[in-house]
Amino acid sequence: MTDASAQPVRHSRKGLLVPFAIVFVGLALWTGWWFVLTQQIEKRLEGRIARLEQSGWTVRHAGVTTTGWPLRARVAMKHVDVIAPSGHAVAAPEIVAEANAYNPTKWVIAAPDGLVMTRGAKGKTAVRAEAIRMSIHGLTQRWPNVAVELAKPVFTALPDAEPFPLSKAGLVQFYMRPHVAGSNAPTDDVDVLFRLVDGEGRPNGPVEGLTQSGKLNAQVEAVVEKASALKGADAHGLLSAWTAAGGRFIDMKGELGAGESKTFLSSPALSADDKGRLEGEVFLRAEKPLAAIVGLAGATQGGSVDRAAAARAAAATPQGGSGDQGQGVDLVLNFKGGRTYLGPFALAPAPQLF
């Protein structure tokens, strides 16, 4: 017979609170770590800016904000203006950098509203794109791994500025990584790679003439010697201190496609003179080069391009026979005395590095 006066057994509910307590404590610890991390990031950013300013750079911005809790660290800087001692500069309405809070060793930096480049005395060029981003990882290495990408950029020269060689492109990429010697030991050199996909020149400009109103595609890689000297930018230019220290581009190779013309290039070494003009030889294996040279000669607003010299070079350039199998021609592009020569013909000033 059941005892009606017996009370039902009540089980303790303290066990149900344990998981919630663990989550609460873990969240509190993680939040504390997140705030410590973001404070360290802001301090390191301030230290980097201070070191740049001590080296003669000017860095202006309208404040730094850090968000992204709980899993991200997102640093945003408004109205950023970075000016090198040479007068070259980059400005952007906003620069945003993000990393995983649990592993802040890889950063992705973006300019969501575009940017404005100042090319020294050449003036300012606005750059708008579907995406302008840069990723950096390996920050504990002597040289980090860097990747820059501009997706569908459009280049617009601002008033009183010299025209920019390109009007737009499908893709622009730049990569940098530490150069490793045979012993797998990192050196003071870095490997670089540049890619241009479907570049289009401005109307009646030299790039449009070179590509016969088509698209310019390029991929060039090289080793940059004495890369540590790149940190010493001065009033003469971004690369002048590097050049003065004996910096060179070595083991350069690449491929250019301009309309129907295709060129494979190589150079054992390129350097610069005291005015920043490129010096050295580039060896070319060109397929159907005549159309590109004729187009260059016909550029009505080529600026510094010597159209008469380009026309003479076109007339003197051998075509290597006829037909698809006979179009390969070996040429040498020579940068000397501040000029660019194709054989004996001075086509234009040599590219200026600073």
Side-chain angles (χ1 to χ4, degrees), residues 8-244:
V9 178
R10 294 181 178 274
H11 297 282
S12 173
R13 297 186 179 182
K14 293 180 179 180
L16 297 176
L17 299 178
V18 172
F20 292 98
I22 293 175
V23 170
F24 178 79
V25 172
L27 188 61
L29 291 174
W30 177 259
T31 300
W33 154 251
W34 186 87
F35 277 107
V36 170
L37 172 66
T38 54
Q39 288 176 358
Q40 290 179 346
I41 291 171
E42 291 183 4
K43 287 182 179 179
R44 290 180 181 178
L45 180 60
E46 291 173 358
R48 174 66 65 178
I49 291 174
R51 286 192 293 273
L52 283 173
E53 291 178 336
Q54 289 173 0
S55 300
W57 292 64
T58 300
V59 181
R60 294 191 291 261
H61 61 86
V64 178
T65 57
T66 306
T67 57
W69 181 90
L71 299 179
R72 307 287 292 175
R74 183 180 187 275
V75 180
M77 298 177 66
K78 297 285 189 180
H79 305 297
V80 182
D81 197 0
V82 181
I83 307 171
S86 61
H88 294 78
V90 175
E94 183 180 36
I95 297 292
V96 178
E98 289 191 5
N100 292 324
Y102 52 85
N103 187 25
T105 58
K106 181 177 181 179
W107 286 85
V108 176
I109 304 170
D113 299 318
L115 51 84
V116 174
M117 302 184 302
T118 301
R119 299 186 294 148
K122 295 180 179 180
K124 298 182 178 181
T125 299
V127 184
R128 302 282 298 184
E130 288 188 359
I132 301 176
R133 52 180 170 252
M134 175 173 66
S135 67
I136 303 176
H137 69 91
L139 294 175
T140 58
Q141 302 171 171
R142 181 172 186 175
W143 296 106
N145 294 66
V146 178
V148 180
E149 181 176 284
L150 284 73
K152 296 185 177 180
V154 176
F155 304 94
T156 305
L158 299 184
D160 300 324
E162 289 187 18
F164 196 72
L166 295 174
S167 63
K168 59 182 177 179
L171 182 67
V172 177
Q173 294 176 318
F174 173 80
Y175 297 93
M176 184 188 82
R177 67 181 183 185
H179 179 70
V180 177
S183 62
N184 292 327
T187 66
D188 194 29
D189 305 339
V190 296
D191 298 329
V192 294
L193 170 67
F194 172 80
R195 291 185 66 219
L196 171 66
V197 178
D198 291 341
E200 297 183 28
R202 67 179 188 273
N204 299 318
V207 173
E208 184 184 71
L210 181 70
T211 61
Q212 308 99 63
S213 299
K215 303 291 181 66
L216 177 63
N217 292 280
Q219 178 166 313
V220 181
E221 58 183 285
V223 177
V224 180
E225 288 186 321
K226 301 184 179 181
S228 60
L230 289 168
K231 300 178 180 179
D234 57 29
H236 296 291
L238 292 174
L239 300 178
S240 63
W242 170 74
T243 300

